[in-house]
Amino acid sequence: QVQLVESGGGLVQTGGSLRLSCAASGRTFSSYAMGWFRQAPGKEREFVAAIHGITIYADSAKGRFTISRDNAKNTVYLQMNSLKPEDTAVYYCAASQFLRTVPQPYNYWGQGTQVTVSS
């Protein structure tokens, strides 16, 4: 069982930066692939980035977002730079045995943190 708690969301202006954190419980954190997804109102949950040895990004995140993890702290991060209004969404971290870009293989989810980018 893995419990995930996100933090770091907030209100930022266009072009600004935020760093999201996701703290995980459990002693097997390093064995999980960790992903970040986001969901805007009225839209489906979409993939942002994932990490498990390698990193993968959605096209919308490439060059602006960086995913990283600290296994000693059981934490995964999402550094978001050059934010745009279209990045506004609830951001979720998730854990999976498999490194995937779709939500279904991810068994464990956090409660989400709101990111709002003003124009």
Side-chain angles (χ1 to χ4, degrees), residues 16-18 24 28 34 36 39 44 49 51 53-56 62-66 77-78 80 83 92-93 95-96 112:
S17 298
L18 283 174
T28 59
M34 298 300 298
W36 285 98
Q39 189 165 18
E44 293 186 351
I51 184 169
I54 63 170
T55 57
I56 50 177
K62 287 179 182 176
R64 299 188 301 126
F65 295 2
T66 302
Y77 304 97
L78 185 68
M80 304 187 295
L83 283 162
Y92 299 89
C93 71
S96 170

Side-chain angles (χ1 to χ4, degrees), residues 71-94:
N71 290 333
K73 295 183 178 180
N74 279 15
T75 302
V76 62
Y77 304 97
L78 185 68
Q79 177 67 44
M80 304 187 295
N81 299 327
S82 302
L83 283 162
K84 306 173 183 179
E86 51 263 45
D87 295 317
T88 295
V90 177
Y91 284 70
Y92 299 89
C93 71

Side-chain angles (χ1 to χ4, degrees), residues 2-86:
V2 177
Q3 292 184 326
L4 304 172
V5 179
E6 302 98 334
S7 61
L11 174 64
V12 64
Q13 292 184 333
T14 296
S17 298
L18 283 174
R19 188 195 196 201
L20 306 183
S21 300
C22 174
S25 65
R27 293 175 291 178
T28 59
F29 173 75
S30 62
S31 68
Y32 286 94
M34 298 300 298
W36 285 98
F37 291 79
R38 66 187 183 186
Q39 189 165 18
K43 295 187 177 181
E44 293 186 351
R45 192 166 298 189
E46 66 175 7
F47 171 75
V48 177
I51 184 169
H52 195 33
I54 63 170
T55 57
I56 50 177
Y57 295 92
D59 287 344
S60 60
K62 287 179 182 176
R64 299 188 301 126
F65 295 2
T66 302
I67 188 171
S68 62
R69 67 191 297 166
D70 185 338
N71 290 333
K73 295 183 178 180
N74 279 15
T75 302
V76 62
Y77 304 97
L78 185 68
Q79 177 67 44
M80 304 187 295
N81 299 327
S82 302
L83 283 162
K84 306 173 183 179
E86 51 263 45

